[in-house]
Structure formats: structure tokens, C-alpha cells
Amino acid sequence: MPSGTDVLQKWFEEKGVRQVKLGGVDLDGVWRGKYVSVEKFFSACKSGMGFCDVVFGWDIADELLDNTQVTGWHTGYPDGMCRVDTSSARIIPWEPDTAAFLLDFVNPDGSPFEPSPRQLLQKVGKRAREMGFVPKFGAEYEFFIFKETPQSLKDKGYTRLTPLTPGMFGYSWLRTSLNAPLVHDIINGCRDFGVELEGFHTETGPGVFEAAVRYDTLEKIADKAVLFKTAVKEICARHGLTACFMAKVDPKLPGCSGHIHQSLWSLRSDENAFHDPDASDGMSRLMRQYIGGQISLMPELTALYWPTINSYKRSVENTWAPVTATWGRENRTTAVRVIGDSPKSMRLEYRQPGADMNAYLAMAASLAAGLWGIENEVEPPEACAGNGYASNAPPLPRSLKEAVALLKKSERAREILGEEFVDHFVRTREWEARQYERAVTNWELERYMELI
């Protein structure tokens, strides 16, 4: 990607850029951004730009939080300072005269703004490099596509939606071909957007698809993972469709995962630090400790992997989502799955997150937990060789409220992620849990209205 204002100006001229889209991701993983003029963009590159810090003071529905410290009525919701990451330059393929750039939120002194997800990820990535490792990650998403628009969703009360395709048809050659114009637009559009996909196929469920975002170094793949979701939503909208990344849409169907593939590579030798040719299973001691850290911290970090009320509806026995802190080799019933046995392929798949994850937070937390395991030489429990759902491993929290309580009292989370980030994130999730506790659901109305 081009960077530096002189190079960018020439690039803008070559690409015919007429406006710029700037944005960053909030704690819910939602893109918050704006269009600016080319002149405004280059001014921001030189001196930074203001962005109302309310994006860290409201929830996913833009309702103001009543419990935050970093911003609120008590601060007057001022502009926060942002830096333009000029290395993130890309053209939006479906808006070919528009360039897009990512923003980094910073404090007045220029230091990273602790509650910002992208800054947290960069912080953990820096720690990995200081320990001598280059983290290489990949992301997989499962998601529904509906023949709906934002207006039709609202008009229908978000019920009785029409999926793009009917029936249960995982890995269907036919279904993807029948929808080739859309599928090709997603694959080619993501590629031209700098988000390369390794695979794209139908999953089990009506209108359900899965995409694998090609692995990259930590910071690059995290950007690509969060950009992938908005790319799919924007491309689908141009086809009159809606893409949905909720963890659980229908209680009768499997949930939507957001698996994260990860490995550590030596900063000096560019060798896979997870592989040991002398080990019978190919796993290095360092990989075992990395898994040990993840398993040990998994329950108390769950709120970062399952950040919504809906996240916990996916975690049900025998539905391909974990319910306990387990690991195993090539075992899809566990929370951590070890894959491969060669220097190139040795890695793990972190299977706990759902498609509703904020990729910055899920990747940062899982990496930080693994690095903590290495630093403390944590040995993992015995690998699960059979059905992970039948194991006696530590259970994962069953609700957001329970998960947030564990995170709030976790000294280890504050140690590896930072006091200010954990405090702010906990406050936002406590708010989310409180909103749900006050809600009256369709389930309650259907069950009790007539008969109680």
C-alpha cells in the first residue's frame, strides 16, 4: 500500500480519487467513519484530525452509556484525536473514486488511546515481537445472507426472513454456482479491497456461507478481518441483500463461528516456533505453553470472545461450538484445535469466538493469553482425544453477565491487556447486560401472554 503524502498524492491522481473514507472500529466491532474531501484528508495526514469520542461512550444502537469514565456528559463529549494510518490505503472497488484509510485513536500527547481495539491489538503485537516472535493469524467467518433490506428487516420485526438459498446444503457446488454473480462480487471485491480470501463455500443452513480470510501478520490480518465484514455487507446491499454475522440467528440451526488460526514465527530465523521436528506430535514446548495460557485464561477472557448477549446462544453442546476450556489435535469438539504437523502448517485454530467477534479484541486477547502462557511456562491439561462436550474441563460462562463478572475480577486480564482497557470494556458489557435484563422478548410474550 502507498504511504507518505507525496506518494499518496500521485496515487490519488493515478486512481482518480475524488473523496476519502476514514474510519475506525468501536468496541462492538462496528465501523464508525465519515467521508472527507481530498484537501481535508491531506490536512489530517499532517496534523491529525478530531473525531467525536462519543463512539466510546455509546452502545451498538447509539444509546449513551451511563457508566463510563473515558467520556460522557461529565466530559462534554469532546473530539478525540486521531492519526491517519497512511499505510492502510486502499481503493473501495464498489466506490472506485473513493480511497479508504484506517484511523488510530490517540491521547493528546500522541500515545495510544487505551480503550481503542486497534491500539490494543498493536500493543499485544509489539509485546510478541519484543519476545522474539512474529504472530501470523488467519480468520474464518460463517454468516447468513437474507433476501432482505434494512427496511424490510424492520418491517418484519426481524422475523420470518427469507434466506438467499433454502435448505441445509453445506459445501454445495450447486448453490454457489446458482448465486455466482454475488459470490464472484464478494470474492473479487474483497481481493481488490486488499482482503484476500482463501476459500468461500456454503455452510449447513439456509443462506449460510463461510469465508476464510488468507493468513497474514497479526496487524494486517486483524485489519482485513474487520474490513471483510463491512465489505460483505456493502456488496450484499448492492444486490438488495443483507449479510448477518450474529452468533446465533435460529435456535434450530448451528451458530456462526469466527475461528482464528494462529502461529508464532521466529523474528530472527523466520521459522515456525510451534513446530518441533523431534517431537512425536510435532508440537514444540513453546506451542504447548501457548495453548496452556489460552486454556488457563479462557473462562475469564470469554467476554472478549463472546461480547454480545446473543454470543452465548451459540455455545450449546453438540453444535460445533465449545462449552468448556478444552484442546485437542484435529478435534472440532474442542475450543482449541491443533492443526498440521509440518514446519509450514503447524498452527492452532481458536474456535471459541463467533462471527460476532470484534476481530481486534479476539485476536489480541487470544495472543496475549498465549504469550502469558509462554512467559509463565504453563503446561496445558491433557489433550481431549474424544468428545470435548463429555470432558470434565472447566466450563465456559453461560451468559454475558457471568462472563463480565469473571473479567472484572481478573487480575491476569488487567496484567496482559491493561487496566484502562479492561475497565472501559467491562463497563460497556455491564451496560449491555443491563439492557437485556430490562428487555421483554418475543419468547416471553409467546409463552406467557395468553396462558399465565
Side-chain angles (χ1 to χ4, degrees), residues 420-446:
E420 190 171 351
F421 169 79
V422 172
D423 178 75
H424 183 65
F425 183 79
V426 163
R427 290 171 184 272
T428 68
R429 298 310 99 182
E430 288 179 332
W431 162 273
E432 191 76 6
R434 280 192 284 127
Q435 304 320 294
Y436 180 67
E437 288 175 343
R438 292 202 291 257
V440 178
T441 66
N442 286 343
W443 185 89
E444 293 167 273
L445 295 176
E446 293 172 3

Side-chain angles (χ1 to χ4, degrees), residues 4 21 38 50 52 69 101 113 125 136 140 144 147 175 194 205 219 242 281 314 322 336 375-376 387 392 413 433 435:
K21 201 168 192 180
V38 171
C52 183
Q69 290 187 334
F101 292 82
F113 182 60
K136 295 185 180 181
E140 296 177 356
F144 280 78
K147 293 181 179 179
R175 289 285 189 258
E219 294 79 4
T242 293
D281 56 6
R314 167 178 165 264
V336 175
E375 290 175 317
N376 292 277
N387 184 356
N392 293 319
Q435 304 320 294

Side-chain angles (χ1 to χ4, degrees), residues 108-417:
D109 63 1
S111 61
F113 182 60
E114 290 287 341
S116 171
R118 191 170 193 249
Q119 277 58 70
L120 175 68
L121 180 100
Q122 293 171 355
K123 172 183 173 181
V124 179
K126 180 180 179 182
R127 184 186 306 154
R129 287 172 174 79
E130 290 172 347
M131 293 174 63
F133 305 117
V134 176
K136 295 185 180 181
F137 278 43
E140 296 177 356
Y141 284 105
E142 296 169 354
F143 54 97
F144 280 78
I145 298 179
F146 294 107
K147 293 181 179 179
E148 306 290 349
T149 66
Q151 188 61 53
S152 71
L153 288 173
K154 187 174 180 61
D155 291 344
K156 290 183 174 183
Y158 303 94
T159 62
R160 298 182 297 279
L161 308 180
T162 304
L164 179 63
T165 59
M168 310 288 278
F169 207 167
Y171 298 101
S172 171
W173 180 293
L174 176 62
R175 289 285 189 258
T176 47
S177 292
L178 292 176
N179 293 281
L182 171 66
V183 172
H184 292 178
D185 278 357
I186 292 175
I187 294 172
N188 297 329
C190 284
R191 181 197 62 231
D192 295 341
F193 197 41
V195 182
E196 305 86 358
L197 303 184
E198 285 191 322
F200 190 96
H201 62 87
T202 63
E203 253 296 350
T204 299
V208 184
F209 292 83
E210 178 176 345
V213 183
R214 188 181 188 277
Y215 74 93
D216 207 329
T217 53
L218 175 73
E219 294 79 4
K220 291 182 179 179
I221 186 59
D223 286 342
K224 293 176 182 180
V226 295
L227 285 167
F228 169 76
K229 291 172 75 170
T230 193
V232 171
K233 288 176 178 290
E234 292 178 37
I235 293 168
C236 283
R238 282 160 173 75
H239 287 259
L241 306 168
T242 293
C244 173
F245 289 84
M246 284 179 62
K248 192 78 167 183
V249 174
D250 189 320
K252 298 178 181 178
L253 298 172
C256 293
S257 71
H259 298 158
I260 304 171
H261 291 251
Q262 44 195 271
S263 58
L264 297 180
W265 293 67
S266 171
L267 190 61
R268 294 183 177 180
S269 63
D270 194 33
E271 294 179 346
N272 189 345
F274 279 2
H275 182 257
D276 181 354
D278 297 325
S280 60
D281 56 6
M283 292 175 57
S284 68
R285 182 166 177 263
L286 183 139
M287 184 182 190
R288 295 182 61 84
Q289 294 172 347
Y290 187 92
I291 294 172
Q294 292 186 327
I295 296 298
S296 295
L297 301 187
M298 192 177 292
E300 62 204 79
L301 296 182
T302 286
L304 292 153
Y305 307 126
W306 293 344
T308 74
I309 294 294
N310 183 254
S311 301
Y312 299 80
K313 307 299 174 66
R314 167 178 165 264
S315 178
V316 180
E317 290 186 359
N318 304 318
T319 58
W320 305 103
V323 297
T324 53
T326 52
W327 75 281
R329 175 174 286 279
E330 284 294 356
N331 192 334
R332 287 184 169 87
T333 70
T334 58
V336 175
R337 169 184 167 225
V338 174
I339 303 172
D341 56 9
S342 71
K344 180 180 179 181
S345 64
M346 198 80 190
R347 66 191 188 279
L348 62 84
E349 178 188 48
Y350 203 86
R351 296 177 57 83
Q352 185 181 10
D356 59 346
M357 69 172 174
N358 181 334
Y360 287 128
L361 300 186
M363 290 184 181
S366 59
L367 173 60
L371 295 177
W372 179 87
I374 293 171
E375 290 175 317
N376 292 277
E377 300 182 348
V378 179
E379 279 296 315
E382 185 177 350
C384 183
N387 184 356
Y389 297 111
S391 72
N392 293 319
L396 299 176
R398 301 307 313 136
S399 69
L400 181 60
K401 185 175 183 178
E402 180 185 346
V404 173
L406 289 176
L407 180 62
K408 186 174 185 177
K409 68 180 183 181
S410 172
E411 293 299 325
R412 297 184 295 189
R414 296 173 190 275
E415 172 192 340
I416 63 176
L417 300 177

Side-chain angles (χ1 to χ4, degrees), residues 3-203:
S3 61
T5 54
D6 291 340
V7 175
L8 281 171
Q9 285 177 337
K10 183 178 180 180
W11 185 67
F12 274 32
E13 293 172 3
E14 293 173 350
K15 299 294 185 180
V17 173
R18 302 179 65 184
Q19 59 269 325
V20 180
K21 201 168 192 180
L22 301 174
V25 169
D26 67 14
L27 284 174
D28 288 293
V30 175
W31 278 100
R32 304 289 185 171
K34 63 175 75 174
Y35 288 100
V36 299
S37 67
V38 171
E39 293 75 18
K40 174 68 174 178
F41 167 76
F42 282 107
S43 173
C45 286
K46 293 178 181 179
S47 56
M49 64 175 287
F51 200 114
C52 183
D53 73 358
V54 72
V55 298
F56 293 98
W58 61 20
D59 64 13
I60 196 169
D62 289 7
E63 189 170 347
L64 296 174
L65 308 177
D66 63 7
N67 61 347
T68 57
Q69 290 187 334
V70 299
T71 190
W73 294 119
H74 62 289
T75 66
Y77 295 107
D79 274 356
M81 181 58 67
C82 292
R83 284 198 299 251
V84 179
D85 182 353
T86 56
S87 70
S88 67
R90 52 196 8 106
I91 297 295
I92 303 177
W94 43 96
E95 298 180 51
D97 59 355
T98 305
F101 292 82
L102 307 186
L103 296 173
D104 283 323
F105 294 91
V106 296
N107 293 312
D109 63 1
S111 61
F113 182 60
E114 290 287 341
S116 171
R118 191 170 193 249
Q119 277 58 70
L120 175 68
L121 180 100
Q122 293 171 355
K123 172 183 173 181
V124 179
K126 180 180 179 182
R127 184 186 306 154
R129 287 172 174 79
E130 290 172 347
M131 293 174 63
F133 305 117
V134 176
K136 295 185 180 181
F137 278 43
E140 296 177 356
Y141 284 105
E142 296 169 354
F143 54 97
F144 280 78
I145 298 179
F146 294 107
K147 293 181 179 179
E148 306 290 349
T149 66
Q151 188 61 53
S152 71
L153 288 173
K154 187 174 180 61
D155 291 344
K156 290 183 174 183
Y158 303 94
T159 62
R160 298 182 297 279
L161 308 180
T162 304
L164 179 63
T165 59
M168 310 288 278
F169 207 167
Y171 298 101
S172 171
W173 180 293
L174 176 62
R175 289 285 189 258
T176 47
S177 292
L178 292 176
N179 293 281
L182 171 66
V183 172
H184 292 178
D185 278 357
I186 292 175
I187 294 172
N188 297 329
C190 284
R191 181 197 62 231
D192 295 341
F193 197 41
V195 182
E196 305 86 358
L197 303 184
E198 285 191 322
F200 190 96
H201 62 87
T202 63
E203 253 296 350

